[in-house]
Amino acid sequence: MLPLLLAAVSILTAAAASAHHPHPLDPLSPAELTAVRAAVLASPLVPARPLTFHYVGLDEPDKADVLSYAYGNSTSSSRSALPRRAFVVARAGGQSHELRVDVTDAAAPSVLAHAVHRGAGFPTLTLDEQFAAVALPPAHPPFVESVRRRGVDMADVLCAVFPVGWFGGDLPGEERRVVKLLCFVAGATANFYARPLEGVTLVVDLDRMAIVGYRDRVLLPVPKAEGTDYRAGKAGPPYAGRAPAPGTVVQPEGRGFDIDGHFVRWANWEFHVGFDVRAGTVISLASIHDADAGARRRVLYRGFVSEVFVPYMDPVEEWYYRTFLDAGEYGLGLWAFPLQPGADCPANAAYLDGYYAGQDGKPVENKNMICVFERYAGDVAWRHTEAGITEVRPDVSLVVRMVVSCGNYDYTGLGVQDQRLHQIHGVSDRPPGGEGDGLHARGPDHGGRARHAGGGEHPRRLPRPLRHVPPGPRRRRHQQLLRQEHHRHQAQRGRHAEEELLDGAPGGGRDRGGRAGGRERRAGRPAGRQPQQADPDGQRGRVPGRPGRRDGGVGAGRRRLPAEARQLLQEAGAGDAVQQGGEVGARAVRRPEHRRRRPGRLEREGQGDTERGHRAVVHGGHPPHPVPG
């Protein structure tokens, strides 16, 4: 009996341990951050003190291992967990250290690798060192004198840290980690950025935490506070006015999505939501379910904001270096603030917390850092009415949101920290297996497909604008496709023009039933159009006294027919008109058989004008293109 009990306990323990294994792409937990700090501080590889942590993030496993873990055939209970590792950037002894720490067993972490960064650039600014730097100016006598000269109260002065940038080469002092401080006047307004102390610059050495440079270049008046406040109730016209009525989103049956740990499942979508102190929100392993194929189609392996570049491009001394890299220098996740329910996110939103390592390495909790909600904008995604049947499908999208307030910039727009997914009611008929397969929705099946020369079917795609294609072989190939598309349209226009015969020419004014004016009606012109009068001298449309110029009137831009074409028209019965003026037959002649245009590649492959494939992009107006894994 005792062996059976021991076996049962061991099975339950193993099951509980496997159930608590984090996903390979889950952000580091508070326990793992604590283990990282302990391992780094105990390592003899970085003996210098003080030691400050500037970045602690997940050291991702190899992509192949993650895909095997996520989409392998093994069940979640039987698959083995991948190693958990952290990447650390720390500053100690005037050097930038990079370490990799194994936290698979948080109770026994270990440093796997260590290197000293000796290239250009420095670690991300921490909050603690920024607060310490901006506290220095009020105690600096030259700065106090500059404030007095401008007639400003020191209690109203606020300062901010600005990176100095890097302009290439090995300049003196580049080995020092310095920043510049610019100061502003708040007073009666919250918009202190509109009231700068122009001309005053302070330079701070962050390792020494001391002012090492100061200059008061020019004395300029401080702008007034009136009319600069942006807060509700204080902003003047045209921003003041009647506020919109409050609204709320009601879902009687509850939310339409599920959150399991860091995985979100909604409609036919499934994806992983992570957090990084530098990049902010991270979307991984996004896929859609193809019910016909019975498999998931991978759309995106890992997506996040790589950088936000804000160059001011002003050569003035206090402005030339303002070329901000908000993700790398400040950290989007570091400057993400708690979301306000009912304002930043609607009432039906669910929230995720985030954790990052502070300057001392200890975990810091940020509540309500990310919200997930369904957006109902009142738009129609699809509708149709016919034969007494009406079906309307509302446009619903899923939003994953984080708000970043970096200085005087707030990022909450699409493409930065607002990721949106749309429902897909059908998927393309491409075989599954690679990223990008699920990016396209199936179009209506009404003969809109093109035959391939090999006998199969594939949707016909129009080439993207050339400006969207980078230089290289793909750009040359796109140039060829654009030329072919241009020639195809020209050929189509030429065929239509050749078929427009003048009234009076054999068969020109009658349709298949023998009725006059048939072609004119089909071409959108009134029936019974009269033929143009002949121009014996060939001067129709010419400006008097200026040979070779046309005035854009009737017949402008036409050429006289060559002798061979006039001969053909004479044989066809239109000889009198040609003899009187060659331009009359310019649109009546059919190109001789031996001089007709050769069919293009698209026509030889059966991709004619009437057979066009149809494939729509799920979201956005650009033609389909693969998304990198």
Side-chain angles (χ1 to χ4, degrees), residues 535-557:
D535 184 9
D537 299 328
Q539 300 295 322
R540 177 183 289 111
R542 294 190 183 277
V543 179
R546 307 183 75 171
R549 294 289 301 274
R550 302 277 184 172
D551 62 0
V554 178

Side-chain angles (χ1 to χ4, degrees), residues 102-156:
D102 189 319
V103 291
T104 304
D105 183 3
S110 61
V111 176
L112 302 177
H114 167 261
V116 176
H117 176 76
R118 303 189 185 279
F122 294 97
T124 302
L125 299 168
T126 68
L127 294 178
D128 292 345
E129 64 186 0
Q130 292 185 65
F131 294 148
V134 298
L136 298 176
H140 191 59
F143 179 76
V144 175
E145 177 61 22
S146 297
V147 172
R148 187 196 63 79
R149 291 172 55 199
R150 288 164 173 79
V152 176
D153 188 356
M154 182 63 74
D156 295 333

